Amino acid sequence: QVQLVESGGGLVQAGGSLRLSCAVSGSINSINAMAWYRQAPGKQRELVASVTNVGSTNYADSAKGRFTISRDNAKNTMYLQMNSLKPEDTAVYYCRVQSLIVIVPYDYWGQGTQVTVSS
């Protein structure tokens, strides 16, 4: 029913930029948090950034100053603008949407998009 589809990944050189998108299809309550996670080989999946429906944001220390998370509530789409990319940003990036209403719970993940940053 509900699907999250990531796009925008690819191969870039260090210092370059990418803009990831996550489109949500299907019916979900609009009071939610959307987030980007990433997982590199041999490492645990980690939170990169999150944004609520009212625009409250949170960033991992590694993302602060370089990445910007945003969302378009009318389009049910989330974005991650990544600038000044580093090789250590190489990972599969996943989007997630979680309900912020306890009595109407849900938790959905996308299938990920590969980001590779070369030296």
Side-chain angles (χ1 to χ4, degrees):
Q1 184 181 354
V2 176
Q3 292 189 81
L4 280 64
V5 180
E6 301 98 333
S7 62
L11 174 64
V12 297
Q13 295 183 32
S17 298
L18 283 174
R19 185 174 185 249
L20 306 183
S21 299
C22 174
V24 180
S25 62
S27 181
I28 58 171
N29 190 282
S30 62
I31 303 175
N32 57 53
M34 300 184 74
W36 288 99
Y37 290 75
R38 68 186 182 189
Q39 188 166 25
K43 295 186 177 181
Q44 294 185 328
R45 188 171 298 186
E46 63 177 356
L47 176 67
V48 178
S50 64
V51 57
T52 70
N53 57 291
V54 295
S56 299
T57 59
N58 184 60
Y59 294 91
D61 287 341
S62 61
K64 291 178 180 177
R66 299 189 299 125
F67 295 1
T68 302
I69 190 170
S70 62
R71 61 188 286 169
D72 185 331
N73 292 331
K75 296 181 179 179
N76 277 341
T77 302
M78 174 180 64
Y79 307 94
L80 185 67
Q81 179 66 47
M82 304 187 293
N83 299 324
S84 301
L85 284 163
K86 305 174 181 179
E88 49 262 47
D89 295 317
T90 296
V92 177
Y93 284 70
Y94 299 89
C95 64
R96 183 190 191 185
V97 59
Q98 300 169 268
S99 176
L100 296 178
I101 301 176
V102 174
I103 61 173
V104 189
Y106 55 80
D107 188 352
Y108 299 104
W109 289 84
Q111 296 190 33
T113 185
Q114 177 71 48
V115 172
T116 303
V117 184
S118 63
S119 300

